[in-house]
Amino acid sequence: MSTRSRMGRATLVAAAAVFAACSPTFNWREVPVGDAGVIALLPCKPERATRDLPLGTESIPVEMAGCKAGGAIFAVAHARAQSAEQAELWLRAWHAATRSQLGDVPVVESPVVLARAASSPAPARLDTGGNDPAAGAAATHVLWFAHRRLDGGASVYQATVSGVPSSTDAVGTFFEGFHIP
């Protein structure tokens, strides 16, 4: 290998190291969620999926966007309800399903004030402090809210952070980063 080739390769390796060092762990970006104009702030480029979620006696299609950054998974799920009453039932069922998945892990639940979110069903938050992989418990933070659509229906959302992010303000940035029209 020529000296010039070695220098070129060394330069490329050095440049790659510099760019990697400049790459932030949390690269916050605005991501549209659903079709009602709600924007989420996610710390990385999300992957998207749609799946059916059993809620009570129904199975509903849920759109999801999520990614992993700084040691935690950040995700937003969205479903489109036909009415405020249906949204209320779905969020209650979603909340109950999440609680049952957590088992005996201690949780703290609290009401939330979220600008422009529907007041009924009221926004709510759930937090666990657990992060014991041996016990199968990871820290979990969940935010539920609804948004009334112009057509009379409501969109329901569940935002989740699973794990302990390497930045102490990441959960707050994620939950406070929702823009609701």
Side-chain angles (χ1 to χ4, degrees):
M1 183 181 289
S2 72
T3 303
R4 186 176 214 172
S5 294
R6 281 191 296 256
M7 287 183 67
R9 184 173 288 168
T11 301
L12 282 173
V13 169
V18 167
F19 286 124
C22 293
S23 175
T25 300
F26 296 96
N27 184 5
W28 296 98
R29 64 198 64 220
E30 293 183 340
V31 177
V33 180
D35 58 359
V38 172
I39 304 292
L41 191 62
L42 284 166
C44 40
K45 184 177 179 181
E47 294 182 24
R48 293 184 180 266
T50 301
R51 69 178 181 107
D52 287 338
L53 177 69
L55 288 181
T57 60
E58 297 182 68
S59 185
I60 62 169
V62 175
E63 299 171 2
M64 294 173 284
C67 58
K68 185 173 184 176
I73 296 171
F74 297 78
V76 182
H78 160 261
R80 190 176 167 91
Q82 297 302 314
S83 67
E85 294 79 20
Q86 187 179 49
E88 178 94 36
L89 291 172
W90 285 0
L91 278 185
R92 263 195 255 131
W94 214 338
H95 183 258
T98 301
R99 284 295 306 262
S100 71
Q101 290 173 353
L102 294 172
D104 293 334
V105 173
V107 300
V108 175
E109 295 185 61
S110 55
V112 175
V113 174
L114 190 59
R116 297 195 172 127
S119 58
S120 178
R125 182 167 169 174
L126 176 145
D127 297 283
T128 71
N131 196 35
D132 182 2
T140 303
H141 309 276
V142 183
L143 171 68
W144 292 278
F145 66 94
H147 169 60
R148 298 278 171 94
R149 294 189 319 269
L150 295 176
D151 66 3
S155 291
V156 293
Y157 299 84
Q158 176 179 290
T160 306
V161 178
S162 182
V164 179
S166 58
S167 171
T168 56
D169 62 347
V171 174
T173 300
F174 178 52
F175 285 168
E176 294 164 13
F178 281 95
H179 172 72
I180 304 169

